[in-house]
C-alpha cells in the first residue's frame, strides 16, 4: 500500500463515518454507479480490502443520488492531494473543502478499552508469516453425530496434510463413520440456541484449532453443511486471500438495531451494532483477536440474550459482526461463504429435502456472485453487493446448509458433477 497516496486508516474511518451521517437522507446508489465512481476516483490505488470497505460504506450511505453528490462524498473520504481538482471547490485548495465539516469529537476511552485496543492492534500488526504447510481447520459445531461424514470424506480424500478437523458435539457424543473424523472431538459443553453458549462453543473450537501453528484459515460448519466445490477450489479460495469471510451488515429494523441494549455503552455504540450469519471463515490473526477479546465479549454475554429488557438479542448473530466492524472493518468481506435460503421469511432458513436436491439446484447456488441482505424494518430494503475476491467478482459460496440427512445418497451420487462446476 502506498503511504503517500492513502490516508492513515483511523482518519479514513473518521471520514467514512462522517460521510454516512452527511448522506443519511439519501437512498442507496445503484451498484454500477458505485463501482464505476470508486474505480475512477481511487484509480486502483487502494488494496482490495480497503476498496471493499469503501464500496460497502458508499452503498450504506448513498441513495438515489446524483453523481455530483456522490463524487463530493468520495472526494471527502479520499481527497485529492496536490491536485488542481481541489481548486474546483475553493481557490484555497484542498484544505478549504473540509473547513465546513464540524470537528470530530472523541470521548475518553476506558482503561479496559485502551488495553483491549493495544492487544488487538499488536496482533493485527504482526507481519504475516506463511507456513511451509498452510492448512485449513474445518470446525464442526453439531449436536451429535454428523450425518454427512461420508460426503466430507469424499471431499477430503487425497488432500491429507492440507486440513485438520475439529468436532464439537453439544448434546451427545458423536459416532464417527469416517477415519478422518475419528479422535477429532474437542471437549464440548451444552449449547443453547440463541445463548452466549453458542459463541463459547465457537471460541472453544478456535482455541483447539489454534494449537496447530500450520492452521492458517478457520471454517465454522454445522451438521447440515455440505461442500459446494472440490477441495482444491475451497483451499485456494481461502488460502490465497488475506481477508476473513464474516457476515456483517447494518439492519435498522427490530431484528437488527432493535436488539441493541444501551447497557453496552460506552464501549459499543449503537451505530456500530451489526448483524450477520454465524457461519464464518477467518484468517489466523482474526482467530487470535477473538481469543484475546474479553471486553466486547462480556458486553454480549451480559446484555445480548433472549428476553432481556423485552428484547430478543442473539449473541451468535451480533457479537462477531459488531466486533469486527469496530476493530478491523476493512479486514472482512461482509458476507459468509456458507449459503442459506431465507426466501421463506421464517425464523429459520429453508431445509432441503431429498426431493429438492439436484444438479440444477447446486449449480444455481454455486453461480451466485452477489450477496443479498434484507432489512427487518418496514421498508424491507434489499441490499445487494458483489462478492469481491481480491478485487475480482467471483461466486460467493463454498458451502451450503440446511440439508437434511435424507439428502446424503443423492449428494453422494452427484458429488463429482456438481463440485466441478
Amino acid at each position: 500500500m502506498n503511504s503517500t497516496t492513502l490516508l492513515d486508516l483511523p482518519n479514513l474511518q473518521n471520514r467514512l463515518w462522517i460521510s454516512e451521517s452527511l448522506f443519511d437522507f439519501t437512498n442507496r446508489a445503484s451498484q454500477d454507479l458505485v463501482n464505476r465512481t470508486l474505480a475512477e476516483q481511487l484509480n486502483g490505488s487502494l488494496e482490495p480490502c480497503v476498496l471493499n470497505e469503501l464500496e460497502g460504506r458508499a452503498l450504506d450511505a448513498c441513495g438515489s443520488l446524483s453523481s455530483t453528490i456522490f463524487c463530493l462524498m468520495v472526494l471527502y473520504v479520499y481527497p485529492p492531494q496536490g491536485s488542481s481538482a481541489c481548486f474546483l471547490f475553493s481557490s484555497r485548495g484542498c484544505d478549504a473543502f473540509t473547513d465546513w465539516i464540524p470537528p470530530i469529537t472523541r470521548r475518553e476511552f476506558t482503561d479496559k478499552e485502551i488495553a483491549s485496543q493495544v492487544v488487538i492492534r499488536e496482533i493485527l500488526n504482526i507481519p504475516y508469516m506463511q507456513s511451509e504447510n498452510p492448512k485449513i481447520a474445518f470446525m464442526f459445531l453439531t449436536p451429535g453425530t454428523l450425518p454427512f461424514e461420508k460426503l466430507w470424506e469424499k471431499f477430503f480424500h487425497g488432500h491429507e496434510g492440507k486440513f485438520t478437523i475439529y468436532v464439537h458435539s453439544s448434546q451427545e457424543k458423536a459416532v464417527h463413520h469416517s477415519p478422518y473424523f475419528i479422535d477429532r472431538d474437542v471437549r464440548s459443553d451444552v449449547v443453547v440456541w440463541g445463548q452466549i453458549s453458542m459463541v463459547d462453543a465457537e471460541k472453544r473450537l478456535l482455541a483447539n484449532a489454534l494449537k496447530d501453528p500450520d492452521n492458517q484459515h478457520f471454517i465454522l460448519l454445522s451438521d447440515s453443511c455440505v461442500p459446494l466445490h472440490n477441495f482444491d477450489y475451497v483451499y485456494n479460495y481461502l488460502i490465497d486471500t488475506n481477508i476473513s469471510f464474516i457476515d456483517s451488515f447494518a439492519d435498522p429494523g427490530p431484528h437488527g438495531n432493535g436488539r441493541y441494549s444501551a447497557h453496552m455503552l460506552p464501549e459499543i455504540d449503537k451505530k456500530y451494532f451489526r448483524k450477520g450469519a454465524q457461519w464464518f471463515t477467518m484468517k489466523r490473526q482474526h482467530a487470535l483477536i477473538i481469543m484475546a477479546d474479553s471486553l466486547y465479549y462480556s458486553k454480549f454475554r451480559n446484555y445480548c440474550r433472549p428476553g432481556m429488557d423485552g428484547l430478543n438479542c442473539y449473541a451468535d448473530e451480533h457479537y462477531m459482526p459488531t466486533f469486527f466492524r469496530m476493530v478491523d472493518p476493512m479486514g472482512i468481506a461482509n458476507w459468509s461463504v456458507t449459503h442459506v435460503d431465507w426466501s421463506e421469511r421464517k425464523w429459520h432458513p429453508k431445509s432441503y429435502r431429498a426431493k429438492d436436491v439436484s444438479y440444477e439446484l447446486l449449480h444455481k447456488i454455486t453461480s451466485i456472485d452477489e450477496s443479498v441482505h434484507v432489512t427487518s424494518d418496514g421498508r424491507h430494503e434489499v441490499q445487494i453487493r458483489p462478492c469481491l475476491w481480491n478485487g475480482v467478482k467471483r461466486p460467493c459460496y463454498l458451502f451450503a446448509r440446511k440439508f437434511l440427512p435424507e439428502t446424503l445418497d443423492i449428494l453422494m451420487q452427484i458429488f463429482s458433477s456438481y463440485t466441478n462446476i
Side-chain angles (χ1 to χ4, degrees), residues 72-88:
L72 285 172
M73 186 190 77
V74 175
L75 286 168
Y76 174 64
V77 172
Y78 193 77
Q81 300 296 318
S83 168
S84 59
C86 298
F87 294 92
L88 289 174

Side-chain angles (χ1 to χ4, degrees), residues 19 43 150 158 172 188 197-198 208 238 255 271 298 309 317 348 353 375 384 407:
S19 73
N43 195 27
K150 286 297 182 183
E172 59 184 28
S188 304
S197 57
M198 186 74 77
N208 280 273
L238 298 178
H255 299 157
K271 65 182 178 182
S298 67
D309 294 337
E317 294 183 4
H348 297 284
R353 308 192 69 89
T375 62
I384 302 176
T407 63

Side-chain angles (χ1 to χ4, degrees), residues 106 118 164 167 189 207 221 327 419:
R106 292 183 177 275
V118 167
T164 50
V167 180
D189 206 344
L221 299 160
V327 304
T419 56

Side-chain angles (χ1 to χ4, degrees), residues 13-14 17 20 57 104-107 109 113 248-250 257 260 264-275 296 300 318-327 329:
Q13 288 176 331
N14 292 336
W17 294 333
E20 288 175 348
R57 298 294 184 80
I104 299 168
T105 57
R106 292 183 177 275
R107 64 175 177 83
F109 291 127
E113 281 181 288
S248 178
F249 78 105
N257 281 7
Y260 172 81
M264 293 186 177
L265 290 169
E267 291 86 358
I268 302 175
D269 193 286
K270 188 174 184 178
K271 65 182 178 182
Y272 302 128
F273 197 71
R274 293 292 185 269
K275 180 182 178 180
Y296 301 103
F300 284 88
H318 296 285
Y319 166 56
M320 289 193 190
T322 302
F323 177 72
F324 283 103
R325 167 59 184 81
M326 294 183 66
V327 304

Side-chain angles (χ1 to χ4, degrees), residues 191-367:
V191 174
V192 180
W193 180 82
Q195 301 282 357
I196 195 67
S197 57
M198 186 74 77
V199 177
D200 293 338
E202 294 169 5
K203 295 180 72 171
R204 195 172 294 121
L205 282 163
L206 283 172
N208 280 273
L210 281 166
K211 291 192 292 185
D212 186 337
D214 287 332
N215 285 336
Q216 298 298 304
H217 216 96
F218 304 78
I219 307 171
L220 182 68
L221 299 160
S222 77
D223 57 312
S224 68
C225 283
V226 300
L228 293 174
H229 296 275
N230 61 43
F231 182 89
D232 286 331
Y233 183 98
V234 171
Y235 182 87
N236 294 331
Y237 196 106
L238 298 178
I239 293 295
D240 291 344
T241 191
N242 195 35
I243 62 171
S244 295
F245 295 92
I246 296 170
D247 193 24
S248 178
F249 78 105
D251 178 3
H255 299 157
N257 281 7
R259 296 172 175 174
Y260 172 81
S261 171
H263 293 297
M264 293 186 177
L265 290 169
E267 291 86 358
I268 302 175
D269 193 286
K270 188 174 184 178
K271 65 182 178 182
Y272 302 128
F273 197 71
R274 293 292 185 269
K275 180 182 178 180
Q278 74 178 105
W279 309 105
F280 61 77
T281 79
M282 66 174 64
K283 60 183 182 179
R284 188 174 183 90
Q285 282 179 313
H286 283 163
L288 287 169
I289 63 174
I290 284 292
M291 299 311 302
D293 174 52
S294 60
L295 173 63
Y296 301 103
Y297 164 83
S298 67
K299 292 288 183 174
F300 284 88
R301 179 193 61 207
N302 297 335
Y303 306 119
C304 180
R305 58 179 185 269
M308 180 173 177
D309 294 337
L311 305 174
N312 285 317
C313 185
Y314 306 106
D316 58 287
E317 294 183 4
H318 296 285
Y319 166 56
M320 289 193 190
T322 302
F323 177 72
F324 283 103
R325 167 59 184 81
M326 294 183 66
V327 304
D328 193 17
M330 298 179 187
I332 63 173
N334 294 308
W335 89 85
S336 168
V337 293
T338 299
H339 176 267
V340 289
D341 183 351
W342 288 99
S343 61
E344 296 179 342
R345 299 289 179 88
K346 297 179 180 179
W347 279 103
H348 297 284
K350 175 183 174 65
S351 293
Y352 295 103
R353 308 192 69 89
K355 63 182 179 63
D356 302 318
V357 178
S358 65
Y359 174 88
E360 289 72 26
L361 169 70
L362 297 166
H363 181 268
K364 180 180 178 181
I365 295 174
T366 55
S367 299

Side-chain angles (χ1 to χ4, degrees), residues 398-416:
L398 304 179
F399 315 101
R401 61 186 302 268
K402 303 173 61 172
F403 285 79
L404 296 179
E406 66 185 59
T407 63
L408 175 61
D409 289 342
I410 182 66
L411 287 169
M412 291 287 288
Q413 291 174 23
I414 65 175
F415 177 82
S416 298

Side-chain angles (χ1 to χ4, degrees), residues 146-163:
L146 290 164
F148 295 108
E149 276 195 16
K150 286 297 182 183
L151 182 66
W152 284 104
E153 180 179 354
K154 202 167 187 177
F155 171 81
F156 290 126
H157 181 70
H159 302 283
E160 293 77 5
K162 289 188 173 183
F163 66 90

